[in-house]
Amino acid sequence: MGMKDRYGNGLSTDQPAARDHYDRGVALFLGGNFGASDAFAEAVAVDPDFALGHAALARALMMEARMADAKAALARATELAGRGTERERQHIAALGLLLAGKPDEARKAVLEHVQTYPRDALVAQLCTNVFGLIGFSGEVGREAELLAYTSALLPQYGEDWWMMSMHALSLCETGQIDASMRLMEKALALNPRNANGSHFKAHAQYEAGDTQGGRAYLETWLAEYDNRSVLHGHLSWHCALWALHAGDEEAMWQAVDSGVAPGAAKGLPINVLTDTAAILYRAELAGIAVEPRRWSVLSDYAAQNFPETGQSFADIHAALAHAMAGEGARLAKIAETAKGFAGDLVRPVARAWGAIAREDWAGALADLSQTMARTERLGGSRAQRDLLELTYVNVLLKLGQIDEARRSLTTRRPVLAEAPPVAAFP
Ligand SMILES: [Fe+2]
């Protein structure tokens, strides 16, 4: 006892080497860098009774999509929890709720935990970021809630690159682009290899319409990033998207085939599915021919990795892949029975993809119109939800509603209005 982690929390291990491996793992994990699970495994090899070492190992394994190993590590942490402090017990319990597939209860547990232990970063982390427990709450106000959450935590963290990057992300997603960029530069000066920093710096550049500057920055940054790291595939998607906006089709396919698509990407299935579906359809909207085989491969990938609905953000992208691949039965299952945090919105979106695949533009408009006022409930960043914005605009154009299409972009996504990446614009 008496040992503290890098955020000043007491740790129930008396082995300095275990603490050092743990701290190294925490920094790797919070920075989205490869090697966190190895570091935590080393921590528990030094001290097999180190409860939070096992809990952190479980969390890192989850981010590598190794769910069975994660559950085993968490079971060991839970066995050991009784010997630890209240903070450690609650920390492990919150993770347990997440791993048990109880996101609403996990979110409540995290919000309560950080009231008392704001600097318990691995717990606080669960509610941060676009793909966190607030991001995927399915609530209308979840972007504002995320901002409130990181606003409250930021002063507790002092000069900490991770929390700065998380708050900068919240600022970006609520339209405060300049403030986001300033804070992110500060965070990146403290740790230039924080992938959560480079990621949302790229988002701020996207929101500012800085295609050229963003591309140059991110491609250079990505070249030094281990391709086994959690954000490699998604950052490759950002590069592919900018290449598309810049009219560089060759670079777009190169990024897709080296980092985004099934087989190429080493990241989480949710990123592989959503990023691949989004870039393929955004390429089609921009007038680029997409080989049908790409959609078939993606539809198979979606069916394999997301056999049941529930993850609404994944579900709308799975439905898109199934529609474009002509997999009617797979599509119908989502369109008719989608469950999950925004299942009620997934169904009309899935029907719209089906209508679009049949070129039934009026049918697509009827279904999309139901969802456009509440797309944040589906999850994902603003840049990701531009898939829906651009699809909606394209449907309007197909119906000859050119003024309405322009108005939609100018009012909803002005950053895309000047040079819309939609070939159907006259
Ligand atoms: Fe992103």
Side-chain angles (χ1 to χ4, degrees):
M1 292 300 281
M3 210 88 72
K4 288 193 188 313
D5 72 8
R6 71 194 303 266
Y7 287 103
N9 302 293
L11 285 179
S12 296
T13 179
D14 52 11
Q15 304 279 334
R19 188 261 331 263
D20 292 347
H21 288 306
Y22 181 81
D23 274 348
R24 185 166 53 83
V26 169
L28 288 168
F29 183 82
L30 295 177
N33 283 292
F34 184 76
S37 63
D38 288 347
F40 294 131
E42 285 180 61
V44 297
V46 172
D47 179 0
D49 292 339
F50 179 16
L52 282 201
H54 291 282
L57 176 60
R59 181 67 184 128
L61 290 168
M62 284 178 76
M63 296 303 271
E64 296 173 14
R66 292 164 62 187
M67 300 312 280
D69 293 340
K71 283 184 177 157
L74 195 80
R76 184 72 187 121
T78 307
E79 275 170 34
L80 295 165
R83 304 184 201 176
T85 60
E86 183 193 54
R87 175 190 73 95
E88 291 167 314
R89 283 197 300 279
Q90 283 186 193
H91 177 127
I92 292 163
L95 266 183
L97 289 169
L98 177 63
L99 253 176
K102 296 177 177 168
D104 291 339
E105 289 169 54
R107 186 171 69 251
K108 284 189 198 105
V110 171
L111 295 177
E112 210 174 287
H113 186 80
V114 298
Q115 297 288 323
T116 318
Y117 309 106
R119 287 175 62 84
D120 196 351
L122 287 187
V123 174
Q125 189 272 340
L126 297 172
C127 276
T128 61
N129 220 324
V130 173
F131 277 19
L133 289 167
I134 290 175
F136 284 148
S137 69
E139 304 279 342
V140 169
R142 57 102 179 169
E143 289 170 326
E145 191 189 344
L146 185 65
L147 179 67
Y149 179 72
T150 57
S151 296
L153 286 176
L154 184 69
Q156 306 282 343
Y157 277 76
E159 294 295 296
D160 177 61
W161 52 262
W162 171 69
M163 184 47 79
M164 280 182 199
S165 68
M166 288 298 108
H167 186 58
L169 176 162
S170 305
L171 289 167
C172 181
E173 293 301 285
T174 46
Q176 301 174 68
I177 310 308
D178 291 345
S180 172
M181 191 61 96
R182 278 195 300 277
L183 183 60
M184 197 61 95
E185 293 295 3
K186 206 172 155 192
L188 283 165
L190 292 168
N191 178 7
R193 298 314 300 171
N194 170 17
N196 288 307
S198 61
H199 177 205
F200 264 78
K201 176 175 172 169
H203 270 272
Q205 288 168 312
Y206 178 95
E207 295 297 329
D210 185 9
T211 300
Q212 223 181 344
R215 251 189 116 185
Y217 166 72
L218 194 59
E219 282 178 6
T220 308
W221 195 94
L222 194 59
E224 303 291 316
Y225 188 49
D226 191 318
N227 72 359
R228 296 168 296 177
S229 307
V230 67
L231 280 168
H232 186 273
H234 183 64
L235 294 177
S236 300
W237 174 80
H238 277 273
C239 288
L241 195 58
W242 269 325
L244 175 70
H245 287 194
D248 188 347
E249 186 179 337
E250 197 186 323
M252 182 200 74
W253 288 126
Q254 210 274 330
V256 169
D257 291 332
S258 65
V260 182
K266 297 188 173 84
L268 291 169
I270 187 170
N271 289 118
V272 177
L273 167 62
T274 60
D275 289 339
T276 306
I279 194 68
L280 293 186
Y281 196 62
R282 286 176 72 162
E284 290 204 2
L285 290 173
I288 290 173
V290 174
E291 294 163 56
R293 182 188 55 84
R294 289 185 181 271
W295 285 118
S296 307
V297 168
L298 189 62
S299 171
D300 291 348
Y301 181 88
Q304 206 165 24
N305 287 277
F306 297 90
E308 298 302 329
T309 59
Q311 212 317 328
S312 300
F313 190 63
D315 293 339
I316 56 167
H317 290 85
L320 170 60
H322 299 327
M324 294 301 141
E327 292 287 349
R330 288 173 180 170
L331 175 63
K333 187 177 167 187
I334 298 175
E336 287 160 21
T337 68
K339 298 182 289 289
F341 57 82
D344 58 317
L345 290 188
V346 170
R347 282 173 242 141
V349 171
R351 287 198 300 270
W353 295 133
I356 287 167
R358 295 191 303 276
E359 302 194 351
D360 169 11
W361 306 111
L365 184 63
D367 280 318
L368 276 181
S369 300
Q370 294 180 37
T371 62
M372 293 312 286
R374 296 166 293 161
T375 60
E376 76 267 39
R377 289 190 50 223
L378 289 160
S381 65
R382 293 188 169 195
Q384 286 175 310
R385 282 180 284 125
D386 279 344
L387 170 68
L388 292 171
E389 298 293 336
L390 295 171
T391 297
Y392 179 66
V393 161
N394 188 56
V395 167
L396 289 171
L397 292 171
K398 295 288 184 186
L399 290 163
Q401 298 184 32
I402 297 161
D403 290 345
E404 186 56 37
R406 278 196 214 287
R407 197 156 39 236
S408 177
L409 274 189
T410 321
T411 52
R412 295 172 62 93
R413 291 300 276 153
V415 62
L416 299 173
E418 202 171 306
V422 181
F425 262 110

